[in-house]
Each structure stands twice: as structure tokens, then as C-alpha cells.
Amino acid sequence: MDRYDQPDQPMRAVAASVLLAVEYGESLSQCLPPALQQLAPNERPALQALCYGTCRWFHRLDSELSSRLKSPVKKQDRVVHHLMLVALFQLRFSQQATYAILNESVEACRALDKPHLTGLVNGVLRAAEREGAPEPENDASRFSHPAWMVEKLRHNWPDNWQQILEANNAQAPMTLRVNALRFSRDEYLALLAEAGIEAAATAFAPQGIQLARPVQVDQLPWFADGAVSVQDEAAQLCTTLLDLAPGQRVLDACAAPGGKTCAILESQAELAEVVAIDESAARLPRVQENLDRLDLHASLLQADAADTEQWWDGQPFDRILLDVPCSASGVIRRHPDIKLLRRETDVVPLAAIQLGLLEAMWSVLKPGGRLVYATCSVFPQENHRIIQRFLKQQTSAVLIEPEVQWGRDMGTGRQLLPDPTSHDGFFYAVLEKPEQ
């Protein structure tokens, strides 16, 4: 029996099981969807909010809970630790009635087949309600991030680290990319206004629209017919850097889930071909779904982009978008489970993968062609330092300084830091290969 398939599981019990799965290495995108299916449709948004909110504030809540426990919960009962974290999240960050949080958490403990711990749950939560939230003991607790990440950001961004941490804890806005093959941005803004959805144009992405408040996608005019997609403003900027033109052959390496592939096709209708590669066979169907909804076509390949002998047909590409696997430290506000999943030891191996991909993609780029390197990271080790290392190896490569009004010039690329009122954290560098 699946861990979520217990009959009549209370929502808090399901949330605790999801968080336990995250602690053991599963992302919310992996473990939350099956859990949502165990609840009635009207309960699912609340479950999602519980799981995302508890992950967002995990390090603060865990610090408080640990201080209230005389000894750690035994490993076989670890799910109850997460049940208490869920309850603490509600006590500290929701308007839920206190008596409901306490009573329903005790019932959830029984539903998790841990009746011997109901007294512990009741006692800890009553003390937490009575005494209020303690003062954070350190910056990891105060900003609710792992200590290594706080220190890394403090070192890399001495003037901005607190701003980054605070932005990571903010709710990300809902941003749209208007399909330029269907509507202008102004036309779609008018459609939103007619539908009673408040929105405004983004500052930097030419087809971007930011909503004042998130809505379900089925409320967006003509969404099912491909008029618009959900995509952060920073991610949309790739098309402005590629310098696309009719007749070009374009590669989107590491393409899933396909948002940038679709953005490329929307921004230039007369490309010769767009090839989209991803190593994960499980993620490629999502790329195809996005293409189908938008009535677009790309050649999809399941392959390791770095292993060019496996997939390359020998025809070089005019343009390459290389959005490399990274720490995702720039999109934590959208994926708060990154705080639990990412380890400091991940960054060096990721940097090696990034440089290897860049070297491989350079070999399939046509002379005179352009490559855009991108990450959703704020760590220099994955960003401008990768470009510095590459330029030392490929001395003929030309670094292009784009004439843009966004981001910070890092010498070898532009860095966007997460902005609580607009875009995610992102890095871009533009390289051109000389004519032979």
C-alpha cells in the first residue's frame, strides 16, 4: 500500500508524510501530486499550501521544535516530527483557529498509527501556543535557510545576502508569457481586463505580464488554445539574447519542461528547426504537452546533451540555448523544498557538469553562431566563474555584452537577483563563435 493510500487520512497526516518524503530526498514535484490525489478536490489547495509553507519556513520551525523536545523523535516515528512542524507552521503563519490546529493534529497522530505520541504532540503544541514563537537563535533560523546557504550567500553577496534570503521567503508573483504568434501583449492585457484580472506589463521581458494576484490557469483567456503560458520574467529573457532570425537551426539543450523551447518558437516563426534535448525520458512528455497546447513543433530527443556522439547528426546549430542543471538557488521562492534537498557539496559537481556541457555545446555551434548560457542560480561558482573558466580554454570565443537594462554586469555575464516584486534569480552569458 502506498504511503498516501491510507483510507480517510486527515490532511495534516498526508502533509506530514509528504514532508517526510522530502526529508528523504524526494522533491515536492515528485511526492506531492500522488498525495493530492488522496484528498477531495476542495482540500487539495490547502494541502499544497501546508507543504509549501512548511518547507519555506522549515529551518525556523525545526529550530523551535527541537528546542521544545527533550529528546529527538525516534527514527521510526519521524513522521510525527513533521506533523508537529506542520502544526507549528499553522500556529505561526496562518489564521487557523488554535483549537482546531491542536485537536486535528492529535487526531492526525492517531491516523498515522502513532497513538503513543499523542501526548507529546498535544503537550508540545499547547506550550508553543501558550509561549509564542521564540526569538531566532541565529541567521539560519531567522531567515529559515540552511546555515551553509546563508554563509555562502553572505560571502558571495556581502551587500545583498539578506535581501536574497528575504526574497526567497516571499510568495512569487504569477507571471505570463504572451504567445506573440497569437496576441500582442497589449491585446492580451485588454483580454485580462475584460475578464476582471488585474495585471501589468513586465519591465524587461517584452511579452511578459505579471498578475496582481495568482489565478487558476483555466481562468486565463484562451489559455487552453495557446494564447499564453506561465513563465517567470527572468526565464523569458533568453529569447531577447539569442538574436533569432528566419532560417536558423536552434538547439535548446536541457529543455524540459519546455517553457524556453516554446518561447523560442513563439518569438521567431520562420526558424528552420528547433531541436530540444533532455536527458530525462520522464520529463520529455511535458515538453510535448506544452508544444501541443501552443500548436508548435520541435524535434525532441532524449539524450545526454554532453554526449554529442549519441545524438548529434553533424549539422551545426546557428543558435544554442544552454540552460544548465544547477543548484536552483535563484528560484527557491517557487521551490522551497530546495532548502531541504540541496547540499553544499552539490555545487562543485554541478559546476563540473556545467562546464562540460558548455564545452560540448561549443563543438556543435556553427562558426558565426551564438550560444546563450543560462542558470537559475545566484552562486557565482555556477555562473560568471564558469564563463571565466571556459574563456581561458576557448581563447577564440567572443563574449558579447548585451545592451540591456536588467541585471548586474559580472564581467562575464549578467546576474539577476531574486526580486520579491518581480523576477526570479537568474544568470545569462552570451558567447559567439568566430567565423572560420
Side-chain angles (χ1 to χ4, degrees), residues 17-83:
S17 297
V18 169
L19 291 165
L20 181 66
V22 172
E23 181 180 48
Y24 287 130
E26 289 188 49
S27 68
L28 282 176
S29 63
Q30 291 173 308
C31 60
L32 186 55
L36 290 168
Q37 297 306 311
Q38 306 311 314
L39 298 179
N42 65 318
E43 290 185 302
R44 293 171 189 170
L47 174 63
Q48 182 159 316
L50 277 181
C51 294
Y52 272 76
T54 306
C55 282
R56 181 169 288 115
W57 296 105
F58 177 89
H59 292 84
R60 181 182 296 185
L61 299 170
D62 195 55
S63 176
E64 176 181 351
L65 179 56
S66 297
S67 71
R68 295 186 182 282
L69 295 173
K70 293 180 180 178
S71 60
V73 176
K74 293 179 180 178
K75 184 176 181 179
Q76 64 267 29
D77 297 323
R78 185 69 178 169
V79 69
V80 175
H81 182 94
H82 290 284
L83 176 64

Side-chain angles (χ1 to χ4, degrees), residues 253-317:
C254 314
K260 298 181 185 70
T261 307
C262 295
I264 288 168
L265 288 159
E266 291 171 5
S267 61
Q268 176 48 257
E270 298 180 29
L271 296 171
E273 183 184 20
V274 173
V275 178
I277 298 178
D278 202 87
E279 189 173 15
S280 170
R283 299 182 73 201
L284 277 176
R286 177 73 183 279
V287 180
Q288 190 62 58
E289 289 171 10
N290 284 322
L291 290 165
D292 291 344
R293 182 179 64 82
L294 295 161
D295 195 23
L296 300 170
H297 174 74
S299 303
L300 303 189
L301 295 175
Q302 188 267 313
D304 176 0
D307 186 4
T308 55
E309 292 185 3
Q310 176 189 357
W311 61 269
W312 187 42
D313 61 5
Q315 298 182 53
F317 294 91

Side-chain angles (χ1 to χ4, degrees), residues 59 70 326 373 389:
H59 292 84
K70 293 180 180 178
C326 70
Y373 176 92
R389 293 168 64 187

Side-chain angles (χ1 to χ4, degrees), residues 118-326:
T118 55
L120 174 68
V121 170
N122 185 61
V124 167
L125 296 183
R126 287 192 180 279
E129 188 275 331
R130 182 175 62 250
E131 297 168 7
E135 280 295 314
E137 295 181 354
N138 49 48
D139 286 336
S141 175
R142 178 175 294 104
F143 293 104
S144 197
H145 280 66
W148 72 265
M149 193 175 290
V150 173
E151 291 310 307
K152 193 171 188 67
L153 290 171
R154 195 200 311 265
H155 175 73
N156 289 332
W157 299 100
D159 297 328
N160 307 100
W161 65 277
Q162 294 184 62
Q163 166 200 330
I164 295 169
L165 293 168
E166 289 169 353
N168 287 349
N169 289 332
Q171 293 280 354
M174 184 172 182
T175 307
L176 311 178
R177 184 191 74 245
V178 179
N179 183 350
L181 303 177
R182 301 289 302 278
F183 294 100
S184 71
R185 178 162 65 178
D186 286 344
E187 288 171 336
Y188 199 78
L189 280 167
L191 289 175
L192 289 173
E194 289 176 14
I197 299 173
E198 186 181 349
T202 53
F204 307 121
Q207 291 298 113
I209 290 176
Q210 185 171 305
L211 304 187
R213 289 165 295 280
V215 300
Q216 296 296 316
V217 292
D218 58 10
Q219 295 179 249
L220 297 171
W222 303 99
F223 178 84
D225 297 305
V228 70
S229 300
V230 178
Q231 187 180 41
D232 182 76
E233 181 183 15
Q236 295 183 40
L237 296 172
C238 66
T239 58
T240 68
L241 300 175
L242 282 166
D243 189 29
L244 298 168
Q248 291 174 341
R249 188 172 195 237
V250 181
L251 171 64
D252 183 4
C254 314
K260 298 181 185 70
T261 307
C262 295
I264 288 168
L265 288 159
E266 291 171 5
S267 61
Q268 176 48 257
E270 298 180 29
L271 296 171
E273 183 184 20
V274 173
V275 178
I277 298 178
D278 202 87
E279 189 173 15
S280 170
R283 299 182 73 201
L284 277 176
R286 177 73 183 279
V287 180
Q288 190 62 58
E289 289 171 10
N290 284 322
L291 290 165
D292 291 344
R293 182 179 64 82
L294 295 161
D295 195 23
L296 300 170
H297 174 74
S299 303
L300 303 189
L301 295 175
Q302 188 267 313
D304 176 0
D307 186 4
T308 55
E309 292 185 3
Q310 176 189 357
W311 61 269
W312 187 42
D313 61 5
Q315 298 182 53
F317 294 91
D318 300 281
R319 297 289 184 267
I320 297 177
L321 173 63
L322 178 56
D323 186 2
V324 294
C326 70

Side-chain angles (χ1 to χ4, degrees), residues 148 324-329 342-357 373 375 377 379 381-382 386 389:
W148 72 265
V324 294
C326 70
S327 65
S329 52
R342 190 62 66 214
R343 300 289 181 265
E344 185 174 13
T345 52
D346 295 340
V347 179
V348 170
L350 281 168
I353 291 169
Q354 292 151 5
L355 185 59
L357 279 164
Y373 176 92
T375 80
S377 171
F379 295 148
Q381 200 168 352
E382 302 180 276
I386 292 290
R389 293 168 64 187

